[in-house]
Amino acid sequence: MNKVLSLAVAASALGAAAPAVAQEVKLGLLMDLTGAIESLAPAILDGAELAITHVNDQGGILDGQTLAGVVADSGCDATMGGSAADRLVNTENVTAIVGGLCTPATVGGANTAAIAGNTVMVSPATSAPSVSELDDNDLVFRTTPSDAFQGAQLASLLLSKGIEELAITYVNNDYGSGFANTLAAEFEAGGGIVAANLAHEDGRSDYRAELGSLASSGAQTLAILGYANGSGQTILRQAIEAGNFTDFVGGDGMVGSDLFTGIDASMVEGMIATRAGAFDGDSADVFMSLAEEAGIDGASVYAPQAYDAAFLLALAIEKNGSADREGVSAALREVASAPGETIMPGEWEKAVELIAAGEDINYVGAGGELDFDDNGDVDGVIVEMTVESGEFVEVGVIE
């Protein structure tokens, strides 16, 4: 045997003996790990990663491949979200994306990279009504309800508590303006008076001028639609220092432990807030048990919605039959809606068997039914939160 042939045979033998390199299907996780909601992001990421763990622990995806989560920080910012999404879509070549979280990051990521790259995004936390109007080629979905719903629920809650006059300040972006517009319209439609409705820019250190204008309206209740790690925290702290308001109200962006940094907790005792809540049913109970088993807080803000987003995308990829992006959107709608055998959180192996057999499935998740409408939106549950001894606690579902 000549030397060249001997080398070729040896190389072939080595190749045959070497273990096969495991293949991956990549799922982007576009998370606001820094910025205005950074205190909320770890629990949301935990929810998404738990879904990935369940897939891999039950045989993997697409005939045993590994589902790999690729994390990118979108910083609750449109520019940063665009850059992070571009890396996921065009460098990491993910099949789909869970995220973003903040509305600016989601919209920036969609418009910069995801839509052009034919990449489905499912946000567990973006709630601005304007997202429903994106020209997205049916690529942008969310597992949390729009603020068109949350704003109406918050208005109803305040009126039911006898609050008749309200001053509103909101962060000047799609999230804040959409939420404020709905809250104001529904509050007034119910007979309430919106004495002031004022935008503010995020990231500033001093909002005393804006607070002076709001206080001059005479309203004693101030609704702050901002972020727990950003403008919302600063405005709340400076409003307490000024002493111009007796009661405070917040939306989901305010529900975070960092909100109370540098604030006397007794001054915000009883503060009212709203957020998306978990569905009260069998699938929610299953998720909570799985979260407890994994050592994560399943009740954290948007953790259930993040689990649903990641699990749904995995199901859609499995249904689509490949890691290609084409077809994921249609498959997502199929696995999220009736008819079909019900699949609950954690039931990956069952779902794979049904898909392989050509059977329809209908995922009912931690957030309940997830039937996407034409805009990629879902109905949801909004819960009342209140501050007790320096932390937010859930009061119950707003009916």
Side-chain angles (χ1 to χ4, degrees):
M1 185 182 292
N2 63 43
K3 184 176 181 180
V4 173
L5 182 57
S6 296
L7 289 173
V9 171
S12 175
L14 285 171
V21 177
Q23 291 182 292
E24 291 183 334
V25 177
K26 292 184 178 181
L27 186 65
L29 304 174
L30 189 63
M31 300 281 144
D32 297 319
L33 301 176
T34 58
I37 63 164
E38 63 181 49
S39 64
L40 306 183
I44 299 173
L45 180 58
D46 282 346
E49 290 183 330
L50 180 59
I52 294 172
T53 297
H54 288 160
V55 169
N56 291 327
D57 284 353
Q58 295 178 44
I61 194 168
L62 298 178
D63 294 324
Q65 295 186 56
T66 298
L67 183 62
V70 183
V71 180
D73 181 12
S74 45
C76 197
D77 175 78
T79 301
M80 194 168 172
S83 297
D86 180 67
R87 176 171 73 82
L88 292 175
V89 172
N90 297 311
T91 301
E92 296 290 349
N93 294 310
V94 301
T95 301
I97 294 172
V98 175
L101 306 183
C102 282
T103 298
T106 299
V107 173
N111 287 333
T112 300
I115 296 172
N118 194 31
T119 308
V120 170
M121 299 176 69
V122 181
S123 172
T126 295
S127 54
S130 60
V131 174
S132 301
E133 300 165 7
L134 282 174
D135 185 10
D136 63 358
N137 298 325
D138 205 31
L139 293 169
V140 180
F141 298 78
R142 46 187 170 181
T143 52
T144 193
S146 165
D147 283 331
F149 182 52
Q150 185 178 182
Q153 293 291 84
L154 178 55
S156 175
L157 176 66
L158 297 178
L159 290 166
S160 73
K161 292 180 178 294
I163 296 172
E164 299 177 348
E165 189 173 30
L166 188 65
I168 303 171
T169 182
Y170 60 91
V171 62
N172 191 20
N173 60 24
D174 285 348
Y175 164 73
S177 62
F179 199 160
N181 289 342
T182 302
L183 172 59
E186 294 292 333
F187 190 73
E188 290 179 334
I193 297 171
V194 177
N197 193 358
L198 183 66
H200 65 261
E201 300 301 323
D202 196 25
R204 290 172 45 196
S205 61
D206 191 343
Y207 294 97
R208 292 177 178 86
E210 288 90 338
L211 283 167
S213 297
L214 292 162
S216 67
S217 72
Q220 291 299 296
T221 301
L222 176 63
I224 306 171
L225 305 180
Y227 301 121
N229 291 93
S231 62
Q233 200 277 341
T234 306
I235 289 172
L236 180 61
R237 175 169 48 80
Q238 292 178 351
I240 290 170
E241 291 169 356
N244 292 322
F245 299 94
T246 58
D247 298 293
F248 298 99
V249 174
D252 53 337
M254 297 284 280
V255 183
S257 58
D258 285 5
L259 183 67
F260 308 116
T261 303
I263 291 176
D264 180 355
S266 67
M267 300 301 294
V268 291
E269 187 77 9
M271 176 179 173
I272 299 166
T274 52
R275 70 166 194 185
F279 168 71
D280 184 14
D282 291 344
S283 59
D285 294 340
V286 168
F287 169 73
M288 290 300 292
S289 295
L290 292 170
E292 183 179 359
E293 181 181 322
I296 71 171
D297 183 4
S300 292
V301 180
Y302 294 120
Q305 289 79 14
Y307 182 95
D308 288 344
F311 206 79
L312 270 172
L313 282 172
L315 289 171
I317 293 167
E318 185 73 25
K319 175 76 172 180
N320 200 37
S322 80
D324 294 340
R325 296 168 183 167
E326 185 64 38
V328 172
S329 176
L332 179 64
R333 289 188 176 277
E334 289 183 27
V335 299
S337 303
E341 181 79 18
T342 297
I343 297 296
M344 291 192 186
E347 294 187 330
W348 177 255
E349 189 173 10
K350 174 184 175 182
V352 170
E353 290 175 356
L354 289 167
I355 290 170
E359 300 291 333
D360 291 331
I361 63 171
N362 174 26
Y363 178 68
V364 180
E369 297 283 353
L370 292 161
D371 296 334
F372 295 111
D373 66 14
D374 290 345
N375 296 317
D377 292 341
V378 295
D379 293 332
V381 174
I382 301 296
V383 297
E384 176 187 353
M385 309 292 292
T386 191
V387 176
E388 292 182 2
S389 302
E391 64 180 12
F392 280 105
V393 297
E394 185 174 316
V395 177
V397 174
I398 302 172
E399 300 296 342

